[in-house]
Amino acid sequence: MDRFSLTHVLLLSCFVTMVASLSTVIKIKNVLPSNLPPVDVQCTSAGHKGPYKTLKTGDMYLFATVNNPVDDYVCWGYRGDYNIAFAGYDNTTDRGHPTVYWQLRVEGSFHSFDNSKFVKTDPWATNDKLF
């Protein structure tokens, strides 16, 4: 490979690494008791739809936003008759964080930037009633 081509490959590699580092990873963990049904989870934005995944207790959903989006990502969880919606990625508060951590608990969804201090954001709902 000549010097010119090698330079282009290195520049392209740096660019790809930089673009990939601009995205934020959403990590959602099911910490519900194991005697409850699994949770079906999905995150979406206006232009990007994440995979649909069923989480048993202890399982984690991983989803990378697209290049530090200007769009917010809404995540949904469904378990039996219960459902929850929460801002999996809020561009105004989560931007710049490499990872946004979530836990789905009996009380609802909990948000963290460090995977240790979690704050409740939304309760579970059923038949248009909040718990």
Side-chain angles (χ1 to χ4, degrees):
M1 187 181 292
D2 65 20
R3 190 174 187 189
F4 180 76
S5 297
L6 182 59
T7 301
H8 279 91
V9 168
L10 290 173
L11 286 173
L12 179 61
S13 175
C14 289
F15 177 74
V16 168
T17 302
M18 182 185 73
V19 168
S21 70
L22 293 176
S23 66
T24 298
V25 176
I26 300 169
K27 292 186 175 184
I28 304 169
K29 186 172 185 179
N30 177 358
V31 295
L32 291 162
S34 59
N35 64 329
L36 294 178
V39 180
D40 296 322
V41 176
Q42 185 176 37
C43 296
T44 62
S45 73
H48 190 203
K49 191 173 191 177
Y52 184 83
K53 185 174 179 186
T54 299
L55 303 179
K56 295 179 285 187
T57 299
D59 287 351
M60 186 171 297
Y61 177 92
L62 299 173
F63 177 69
T65 61
V66 178
N67 302 331
N68 215 1
V70 294
D71 291 334
D72 294 334
Y73 283 72
V74 176
C75 299
W76 289 273
Y78 304 94
R79 62 176 179 93
D81 292 333
Y82 298 92
N83 61 77
I84 195 165
F86 53 96
Y89 176 85
D90 183 329
N91 190 45
T92 58
T93 58
D94 298 338
R95 174 171 250 178
H97 293 275
T99 306
V100 179
Y101 299 93
W102 289 92
Q103 288 185 348
L104 298 179
R105 303 179 186 176
V106 171
E107 301 87 0
S109 59
F110 288 75
H111 177 271
S112 174
F113 290 122
D114 63 6
N115 202 26
S116 65
K117 297 175 208 143
F118 284 85
V119 177
K120 182 179 178 182
T121 60
D122 298 282
W124 290 94
T126 184
N127 298 329
D128 298 323
K129 294 181 183 176
L130 298 177
F131 289 94

